[in-house]
Amino acid sequence: MAGRDESTEGESVLGTALTTRHIEAFGRKVTTTANVLMAPLSDPGAASHYQHAMNELHRGLQRPGIQQRVFSYAQASPTELVRSKFTSEIQHRALAFIPDDLLRSIPENDNVYSLFQGFKATLPEVDEEDEHRKTQRRHHTRGRKSIQEAPKEDNGPPSLAKLKKERDKLNHHLEMMGIRKNMCSSEIREIDNKISNLNNMRRIVLDRLSGLEEDELEVEHEILDLDNRLEDLQEELDDAATLANVATPPVEVDADADTSLSEAQTAADTFMSASIYEKIPSPKAKRHKLPRRKSMPIRHEHFEPGTSIQEIPAHNDMVTALDFDAPFGTMVTAALDDTVRVWDLNHGRCLGLLEGHRASVRCLQVEDNIVATGSIDASIRLWDLSKAEYPAQDNYISKPIEEEDGEGFETIAHENSDDQAPPPPSSSSMEDCPLFSLEAHVDEVTALHFRGDTLVSGSADKTLRQWDLVKGRCVQTLDVLWAAAQASATLSSNDGQWRTTGRLPDASADFVGAIQCFDAALACGTADGMVRLWDLRSGQVSRSLVGHTGPVTCLQFDDVHLVTGSLDRSIRIWDLRTGSIYDAFAFDNPITSMMFDTRRIVAAAGEDVAKVYDKTDGRHWDCGAGVNPAKEGKTASIVERVRIKDGFLVEGRRDGAVGVWTC
């Protein structure tokens, strides 16, 4: 009974709140225990208890394990102690902690479905009949199968219960499909938000890249200015040294000499005029260099293909030829308005005019600082742009960055873009650029190409001429008609004769449409649709490529393939190893210009867009102002000439405008 009363009392104490009596009893027990362990040393009983407790502690502390633990605790920091002794409460608080910023930005729950419904919809649905069949396969006795297959008793008719069950199942399935649809819609919205954020980040990085390229250009201009100042200072030092060398000591006048003062003055004037004044350079001789980019811009490589970079109102008539050296570098254009203009593609400004031809320029090529132009006046002129005096950057206006399809790009407009007239360049900026003129053709020059010290030109006089640019003279003349006659006599057939096309002859077609040379190899496309490969060492045709039915207007070759464009509305790719056609593309209009780089073939096919063929994925697409004429706000003109380098496309139009695009 006593034990039961004590247990009852203990349970009552544990099950109820502490009272004053319980606290006093606990205090007496603690006081008694403390008096026993910490009594004065005069008490022999207390001393024995104290000594016994200290001996136990001493023996415990002498154990190596205890000492190692104490030493490790002494070396550990408080943070490590807390981490090593995680309690369940601390661990729960650490895992369940949510920062205040997340609690403040909790999105509004506009979802009609609960979290449990979404979780349930993600689980695969299990067909009860299939599950029942799987359950039956696990049993190996007929008795168990008979028990499992025993029909269940239904309250209603079997057919009615089955239909209700099927209806409930379909309703549940429909509800799950609705939940899955909502989840897919939420994922799509989340992906769209991520794409929008990435586009914003991409635009910011593009702006940063644009700023870096502008700073880079400014640094290059500063370096160029320092180079010019160093050259001017060096010229001044050379002039001072020249004056010091020609100066003579004063001559002592002999009293007995029979020399008049006038004769001495005349001799002095003659001496000074011949020795000093002719050596002083005129102010016109000091020309600053044309700025050449040391680092190539890469901003256009990160734009979407077909993005407009700038549009330049270059000429007042149809563009007949254009070329540029590098992206955002120097461009030279020629048109039927009898002008040849030099442009800075980085700012869209005209640097000057190349004057010297007596008629319009039909073909040109830009290679580094050297420009070669072929004209209707039957002459070829070479120019050195490094001798140009470029004007100050005051005839262009850079508009702010605009957005097109989510991409930012810089557009350039000239001061007089309202009347669509080209900006007036300096009349004397290019007067020191002419090198020499090559005159041997008797009719207009329609095609030319130079590489190194060799230039090859084709003319309407039905000849090809090879020029030595070091000596400035013609070293070989190739007669195209004679080559065709030789091929006819060799083959004893009509295949090599000069043949007309299957359609009416085009009076505007050039006899020599395009040429390209590389060392001793020369490719030439002519008005009979033939592409002839010449050996410049022997002056003979090594191979003729037959396939086009119209005049060849453009061609270009690399190590393996040769690409040709013709007025027969086709572009053909030839295999130079076998001489056969590798591929061909048909268009709706004649091909007037074509060029390719490492990835794309770009052609002008009588439309308001440039035709682009991507060689990597085999995709054909259009690039130019005619893609979205309504968005441009005006009718685009026909593209006549195209040039592409490293995905940087420049196209010249029939109205004289020049467009620059990423491709």
Side-chain angles (χ1 to χ4, degrees):
M1 294 295 293
R4 183 178 301 175
D5 295 340
E6 291 177 0
S7 62
T8 304
E9 183 180 358
E11 291 175 0
S12 62
V13 171
L14 293 175
T16 59
L18 294 176
T19 60
T20 305
R21 184 170 59 84
H22 297 149
I23 296 176
E24 292 177 355
F26 178 74
R28 287 194 298 270
K29 292 179 181 180
V30 172
T31 303
T32 303
T33 304
N35 290 332
V36 171
L37 294 177
M38 303 179 63
L41 296 177
S42 58
D43 189 358
S48 61
H49 289 293
Y50 179 75
Q51 292 296 334
H52 179 70
M54 294 302 295
N55 290 334
E56 291 292 336
L57 291 175
H58 183 68
R59 284 196 297 269
L61 292 175
Q62 287 181 350
R63 296 177 182 177
I66 298 298
Q67 293 180 0
Q68 186 176 2
R69 291 178 184 178
V70 172
F71 181 75
S72 62
Y73 280 127
Q75 295 294 329
S77 62
T79 304
E80 294 176 351
L81 290 176
V82 173
R83 290 179 178 176
S84 62
K85 296 297 182 181
F86 255 134
T87 62
S88 59
E89 183 179 0
I90 296 176
Q91 186 176 6
H92 172 73
R93 291 181 179 179
L95 296 178
F97 174 74
I98 300 178
D100 295 337
D101 53 351
L102 293 181
L103 293 176
R104 286 192 298 267
S105 61
I106 295 178
E108 297 181 0
N109 187 13
D110 55 352
N111 200 334
V112 296
Y113 300 101
S114 64
L115 181 62
F116 178 75
Q117 287 176 326
F119 175 75
K120 187 177 180 181
T122 56
L123 296 177
E125 295 185 358
V126 180
D127 193 355
E128 295 183 0
E129 295 182 359
D130 295 340
E131 186 68 21
H132 184 63
R133 295 192 190 98
K134 293 179 182 179
T135 306
Q136 287 181 349
R137 296 191 191 101
R138 298 191 187 101
H139 300 286
H140 302 284
T141 61
R142 293 184 179 180
R144 292 183 179 179
K145 286 184 179 180
S146 61
I147 294 175
Q148 294 292 336
E149 293 175 357
K152 297 181 180 180
E153 296 181 359
D154 296 330
N155 295 329
S159 59
L160 182 61
K162 185 176 181 181
L163 291 175
K164 290 182 178 180
K165 184 177 180 181
E166 187 70 19
R167 184 192 63 182
D168 296 339
K169 180 181 177 181
L170 292 177
N171 288 332
H172 176 72
H173 184 64
L174 182 62
E175 183 182 2
M176 292 297 104
M177 290 177 64
I179 296 175
R180 293 192 184 99
K181 285 173 54 180
N182 187 268
M183 293 173 62
C184 292
S185 178
S186 300
E187 290 181 4
I188 291 174
R189 286 195 295 268
E190 184 177 358
I191 292 173
D192 291 339
N193 293 332
K194 292 181 179 179
I195 292 175
S196 177
N197 294 333
L198 290 176
N199 287 332
N200 293 332
M201 295 175 61
R202 189 176 188 274
R203 191 176 298 110
I204 293 173
V205 176
L206 282 176
D207 295 341
R208 191 186 311 161
L209 177 61
S210 177
L212 288 175
E213 290 186 352
E214 292 179 0
D215 296 341
E216 188 178 52
L217 184 62
E218 291 180 0
V219 172
E220 290 187 4
H221 279 292
E222 292 178 0
I223 294 175
L224 181 65
D225 182 62
L226 290 177
D227 291 339
N228 293 329
R229 292 169 60 184
L230 287 174
E231 290 182 0
D232 295 342
L233 183 59
Q234 185 65 35
E235 289 180 0
E236 293 178 0
L237 294 177
D238 294 341
D239 296 340
T242 303
L243 292 174
N245 291 332
V246 300
T248 57
V251 180
E252 297 181 359
V253 180
D254 191 358
D256 300 335
D258 189 10
T259 304
S260 62
L261 183 61
S262 61
E263 294 178 353
Q265 183 67 27
T266 303
D269 292 341
T270 304
F271 170 74
M272 293 295 290
S273 176
S275 60
I276 296 179
Y277 293 149
E278 288 183 358
K279 294 180 180 295
I280 297 177
S282 62
K284 189 180 296 185
K286 295 182 178 180
R287 299 289 184 182
H288 290 172
K289 293 181 178 180
L290 188 72
R292 309 299 300 174
R293 294 300 301 267
K294 297 181 179 179
S295 58
M296 291 296 102
I298 59 173
R299 184 177 62 228
H300 66 283
E301 299 177 0
H302 303 283
F303 290 147
E304 289 293 330
T307 302
S308 175
I309 297 179
Q310 58 181 325
E311 183 173 342
I312 305 173
H315 297 274
N316 299 323
D317 207 336
M318 185 181 74
V319 176
T320 57
L322 60 85
D323 195 11
F324 64 97
D325 56 354
F328 295 100
T330 303
M331 178 181 66
V332 181
T333 60
L336 291 180
D337 57 4
D338 297 342
T339 61
V340 181
R341 296 178 179 269
V342 183
W343 301 88
D344 179 10
L345 286 177
N346 190 65
H347 297 96
R349 64 191 181 117
C350 183
L351 299 176
L353 282 77
L354 300 179
E355 299 176 343
H357 285 290
R358 297 181 297 274
S360 298
V361 169
R362 293 293 310 279
C363 53
L364 62 87
Q365 181 184 349
V366 179
E367 196 71 28
D368 293 334
N369 291 325
I370 305 301
V371 179
T373 56
S375 173
I376 299 178
D377 61 6
S379 67
I380 301 171
R381 290 183 177 270
L382 275 82
W383 319 77
D384 187 1
L385 297 183
S386 63
K387 298 180 180 180
E389 182 182 6
Y390 59 92
Q393 301 180 11
D394 56 355
N395 59 345
Y396 68 92
I397 300 175
S398 295
K399 292 182 179 180
I401 293 178
E402 300 177 358
E403 294 184 1
E404 175 177 326
D405 298 332
E407 297 290 338
F409 63 93
E410 186 176 359
T411 57
I412 309 297
H414 300 280
E415 290 180 349
N416 51 355
S417 59
D418 295 334
D419 54 0
Q420 296 298 321
S426 176
S427 58
S428 61
S429 59
M430 301 289 172
E431 62 181 11
D432 290 341
C433 292
L435 293 178
F436 50 83
S437 177
L438 305 176
E439 298 180 358
H441 287 290
V442 296
D443 206 340
E444 61 177 303
V445 179
T446 57
L448 63 82
H449 185 269
F450 72 91
R451 183 180 179 88
D453 296 333
T454 301
L455 185 145
V456 180
S457 60
S459 171
D461 60 8
K462 301 178 178 58
T463 61
L464 305 176
R465 292 184 180 270
Q466 179 183 358
W467 306 82
D468 186 353
L469 297 182
V470 176
K471 299 179 181 179
R473 62 185 181 89
C474 178
V475 296
Q476 185 175 195
T477 301
L478 306 175
D479 193 333
V480 181
L481 290 180
W482 180 84
Q486 288 294 108
S488 176
T490 303
L491 297 176
S492 299
S493 63
N494 295 328
D495 294 339
Q497 293 182 354
W498 190 264
R499 57 186 177 87
T500 58
T501 60
R503 61 189 67 188
L504 294 176
D506 190 358
S508 63
D510 297 326
F511 186 88
V512 179
I515 56 176
Q516 181 182 351
C517 63
F518 181 80
D519 291 340
L522 171 65
C524 171
T526 51
D528 63 341
M530 299 281 287
V531 179
R532 294 177 174 84
L533 306 180
W534 300 73
D535 187 352
L536 294 178
R537 295 168 296 187
S538 62
Q540 300 294 326
V541 176
S542 60
R543 177 177 292 175
S544 297
L545 305 179
V546 182
H548 284 293
T549 60
V552 177
T553 57
C554 47
L555 64 82
Q556 183 184 355
F557 64 84
D558 55 12
D559 297 337
V560 180
H561 296 107
L562 173 108
V563 184
T564 58
S566 171
L567 295 183
D568 62 2
R569 301 178 296 178
S570 69
I571 289 179
R572 297 175 185 264
I573 304 176
W574 309 79
D575 192 335
L576 293 176
R577 298 165 294 185
T578 61
S580 60
I581 295 179
Y582 175 78
D583 202 351
F585 309 107
F587 296 89
D588 298 331
N589 299 289
I591 306 299
T592 58
S593 179
M594 181 275 308
M595 187 178 181
F596 67 85
D597 59 4
T598 57
R599 179 173 177 176
R600 307 161 192 86
I601 299 177
V602 181
E607 300 183 14
D608 54 4
V609 294
K611 298 293 185 179
V612 183
Y613 171 68
D614 197 323
K615 296 184 289 186
T616 57
D617 56 7
R619 182 172 62 98
H620 292 265
W621 55 286
D622 298 338
C623 178
V627 176
N628 296 316
K631 188 173 183 179
E632 296 292 335
K634 59 182 179 179
T635 303
S637 181
I638 302 299
V639 176
E640 292 290 338
R641 295 291 183 267
V642 292
R643 303 294 291 177
I644 183 173
K645 292 180 182 179
D646 299 330
F648 191 85
L649 171 64
V650 177
E651 44 94 3
R653 305 170 192 166
R654 188 170 294 178
D655 60 356
V658 174
V660 183
W661 306 82
T662 58
C663 188

